Amino acid sequence: MIPTEIIEQIRDAADLVQLIGEHVELKRTGADFRGPCPFHGGTHRNFSVVPKKQMYHCFVCHESGDVFTFWMKRFGLDYPSAVREIAGRVGVAIPESRQSGPDPNEPLYSALGVAAEWFGRRLREGEDAGAARSYLEGRHLALEVWDDYQLGYAPIGRDVMLDAFRQLGLDDDVLLAAGLARRRDDGAVAPRFRGRLVFPIRDVRARVVGFGGRILGDGAPKYLNSPEGAVFHKGTLLYGLDRARGPIRTDGYAVVVEGYVDCIRLQTAGISCAVAPLGTALTAEQARVLRRYAKEVVLAYDADTPGLKSTFRAGDELLRQGATVKVVTLPAGDDPDTLVQRGGAAAFRELLGQAVDVFERKIQLLDRKGLFTTLEGRRRALDRLLPTIRAAADPITRALYVSRAAERSDVKKSVLESEVGRESVRAPGGGGGGGAGRAGGGGGGGSTASRARTAPWSAWRTRAPCACPRPRRSARSST
């Protein structure tokens, strides 16, 4: 079996227009390409190839699909053969599977699926799940949504869940490997999730691979994820992507929100291209996954201090993957869930239409604080803009950012280009070296710009302008 991530890599690498154009005479019509349909033998240009969506469609015989579907129908191949054929054309290697039997992780997938069903029944029927039901009712999530997203409840008692799972045939070794249980210091086995509302987390094949658990009442941490294991890799997974990957390709963009409920609310309201990281900052791997599905990513995080900090960190990660990044500005005190509850999907779509580039959003906030009105302020503003410029992997985007920063700061474009081109590195003991592409990192050394990347967002909002000019470094440390 060809891994799903390899199939997606092949699809992304395939130039649909070029490949189909070898068999159909295509001509550009706006953003699409048109030609005679090869399936019903038409002579008019009713066959459309849409590069943005990586899809084709005939308006007469209604044949449609992606590059693999075209090869299957055109040449009579089965799906794996079509994937392998395209892989050979685009130069993507398919690893040969050495597995000669069933998937060794199948017991884990099975256990996690059983657990999701059990948690779901416990939420609906358990006498001890009243707080979880009240929480969901307070968030105005209907019972149908509970069932559709298989929301559940993990009881607080230690033995209840373990006894139930053992009766279902799940032994302790499987429960431990699946992340459903943990071994205590005294050697006893205990449930990982206790007294929590649980959200099943699925891979792109819709298999349950883990859970996110929200504490009900007092306690810490507020959210607890499954541990890293054979099937759960937090930094590579996005909540809701199993449902959203098709709509993302169709719409041409993804919407990233902060929370599970935000994601559920948008998807159930018809904004089906919404996903969420798993309660943590967006990782480089998650950014790479999103970039496979769409060129454009819209960030819809809260507009408070933590939300802004997360927005710009996520924006830089996505820019490193060559994405176009926009930011939705939510009303104060609102998140996507409360906004849609109050104003419906139309309210969120209106803000989507007003989304601005992540770099422009930074400039707006810096301008609002008056940083462009003094020499010291402009220096500080550039310190905060330079990391995002460096993060932009797309050369045109980077050039546009340089031009915009030069225009707003009244600093020559050539000077900024020189500054952007310098490598930002960490001082010894800073935990490794950074490059221009990473805009520096943590650690005590490196350029002013690299240190600005790690400065808390609150510092942008509260620092008074420095009373003395900041010296420019003539040389940079290296590790």
Side-chain angles (χ1 to χ4, degrees):
M1 184 171 60
I2 304 173
T4 302
E5 58 270 20
I6 297 296
I7 293 175
E8 295 299 331
Q9 184 181 349
I10 295 166
R11 181 186 283 112
D12 292 339
D15 186 331
L16 190 65
V17 174
Q18 177 184 339
L19 291 170
I20 293 181
E22 295 175 1
H23 309 278
V24 180
E25 184 183 347
L26 297 173
K27 290 187 177 181
R28 179 184 288 277
T29 305
D32 304 339
F33 291 79
R34 294 288 187 94
C37 178
F39 299 113
H40 76 272
T43 57
H44 299 292
R45 297 188 178 278
N46 296 311
F47 181 79
S48 175
V49 178
V50 188
K52 182 178 180 181
K53 299 180 180 180
Q54 287 282 66
M55 301 288 288
Y56 67 84
H57 177 76
C58 177
F59 295 97
V60 176
C61 69
H62 304 295
E63 287 283 359
S64 63
D66 61 7
V67 65
F68 304 132
T69 312
F70 184 89
W71 241 249
M72 290 166 64
K73 294 179 178 179
R74 183 68 171 165
F75 303 107
L77 303 175
D78 59 18
Y79 185 73
S81 298
V83 173
R84 292 182 183 279
E85 178 72 19
I86 299 300
R89 298 291 300 274
V90 300
V92 174
I94 298 177
E96 294 299 326
S97 175
R98 298 178 182 177
Q99 185 176 310
S100 58
D103 186 344
N105 292 324
E106 189 56 41
L108 305 185
Y109 293 123
S110 177
L112 290 161
V114 168
E117 292 179 4
W118 189 84
F119 287 142
R121 286 196 304 272
R122 194 78 184 188
L123 173 64
R124 294 189 303 272
E125 304 168 6
E127 294 182 1
D128 57 349
R133 290 192 290 267
S134 296
Y135 174 82
L136 292 174
E137 289 164 359
R139 300 293 295 263
H140 303 287
L141 291 175
L143 182 60
E144 294 78 12
V145 175
W146 304 6
D147 292 338
D148 190 20
Y149 285 81
Q150 218 169 5
L151 306 183
Y153 174 70
I156 198 167
R158 185 177 74 87
D159 297 328
V160 178
M161 187 186 82
L162 293 179
D163 289 346
F165 287 172
R166 288 163 181 160
Q167 290 173 12
L168 292 170
L170 303 178
D171 62 36
D172 287 355
D173 288 341
V174 170
L175 294 176
L176 290 165
L180 293 166
R182 60 182 180 85
R183 194 173 294 281
R184 301 191 316 191
D185 292 341
D186 62 4
V189 174
R192 178 171 179 83
F193 300 100
R194 299 175 63 182
R196 291 178 181 270
L197 175 68
V198 293
F199 298 79
I201 298 166
R202 301 175 185 274
D203 62 13
V204 292
R205 297 172 62 183
R207 298 175 298 189
V208 178
V209 294
F211 296 92
R214 188 195 192 282
I215 195 72
L216 297 167
D218 296 332
K222 182 178 179 180
Y223 282 96
L224 178 67
N225 287 319
S226 293
E228 292 290 313
V231 299
F232 185 80
H233 308 287
K234 182 173 67 173
T236 67
L237 295 162
L238 288 154
Y239 184 76
L241 184 59
D242 57 305
R243 297 167 180 262
R245 60 177 183 152
I248 289 172
R249 287 194 183 280
T250 301
D251 296 343
Y253 65 92
V255 175
V256 180
V257 295
E258 288 186 275
Y260 300 135
V261 175
D262 291 329
C263 180
I264 292 172
R265 179 69 65 193
L266 290 184
Q267 289 189 354
T268 55
I271 302 168
S272 305
C273 57
V275 296
L278 306 184
T280 55
L282 191 77
T283 66
E285 184 57 37
Q286 288 170 330
R288 277 192 287 272
V289 169
L290 281 172
R291 184 62 185 86
R292 288 192 206 123
Y293 293 97
K295 167 72 173 174
E296 182 177 316
V297 180
V298 183
L299 300 172
Y301 290 7
D302 296 354
D304 57 9
T305 297
L308 289 169
K309 185 177 180 180
S310 297
T311 294
F312 295 123
R313 283 183 174 175
D316 285 357
E317 290 291 359
L318 290 161
L319 287 169
R320 291 185 188 104
Q321 304 306 320
T324 298
V325 187
K326 293 184 177 180
V327 177
V328 163
T329 302
L330 295 165
D334 261 330
D335 55 30
D337 173 40
T338 58
L339 179 69
V340 173
Q341 281 189 54
R342 190 179 66 254
F348 189 83
R349 291 190 186 279
E350 181 179 355
L351 293 184
L352 274 180
Q354 300 169 4
V356 299
D357 184 272
V358 64
F359 191 72
E360 192 64 41
R361 179 62 176 147
K362 266 194 174 184
I363 289 177
Q364 288 177 355
L365 293 169
L366 294 166
D367 200 10
R368 190 176 299 169
K369 295 300 172 185
L371 290 184
F372 293 108
T373 60
T374 66
L375 291 177
E376 295 86 358
R378 287 202 292 270
R379 172 71 254 189
R380 290 170 53 206
L382 288 172
D383 285 344
R384 288 148 177 80
L385 293 174
L386 283 168
T388 297
I389 298 175
R390 291 192 180 102
D394 178 69
I396 295 178
T397 299
R398 180 181 287 202
L400 289 170
Y401 285 179
V402 169
S403 295
R404 182 71 176 105
E407 172 192 356
R408 195 65 194 84
S409 64
D410 199 24
V411 172
K412 289 183 178 180
K413 183 179 176 181
S414 59
V415 173
L416 288 181
E417 287 173 336
S418 175
E419 181 73 11
V420 168
R422 296 179 184 178
E423 288 192 349
S424 298
V425 295
R426 298 180 183 179
R438 295 291 299 177
S447 70
T448 303
S450 68
R451 293 197 303 273
R453 181 170 181 257
T454 60
W457 171 255
S458 58
W460 295 34
R461 303 164 63 95
T462 59
R463 286 180 185 165
C466 179
C468 56
R470 180 177 301 174
R472 294 292 300 273
R473 294 178 182 264
S474 59
R476 298 182 182 258
S477 60
S478 59
T479 54

